[in-house]
Amino acid sequence: MAKARKKAISRESDLYVDELISAAEAAVIGYEKYLLDRIDYKDLARIMIILRELLPFEGYDRNDN
């Protein structure tokens, strides 16, 4: 979902910034819940993937560990 919207929304737009802030906030809250054992690592991974898809990682190979 976020990946498809990323291409349609300019990174300079207010909507992109709002989505980025929302995803970052969700990541922080999700991580806190993970540390408190309220969610598992799979739930946290889903949250982090949404944030990662919004971030500009051009030139970075996501499959390289």
Side-chain angles (χ1 to χ4, degrees), residues 11-35:
R11 289 198 181 120
E12 291 80 28
S13 75
D14 289 340
L15 183 57
Y16 172 75
V17 173
D18 290 344
E19 285 192 9
L20 184 59
I21 290 169
S22 178
E25 182 179 13
V28 170
I29 292 169
Y31 188 65
E32 289 173 348
K33 288 181 179 182
Y34 173 75
L35 292 174

Side-chain angles (χ1 to χ4, degrees), residues 38-56:
R38 294 185 182 158
I39 64 173
D40 65 7
Y41 72 94
K42 291 179 185 178
D43 294 325
L44 180 59
R46 285 186 202 101
I47 293 168
M48 293 299 184
I49 287 169
I50 292 169
L51 176 59
R52 188 175 195 177
E53 288 176 347
L54 288 169
L55 295 173

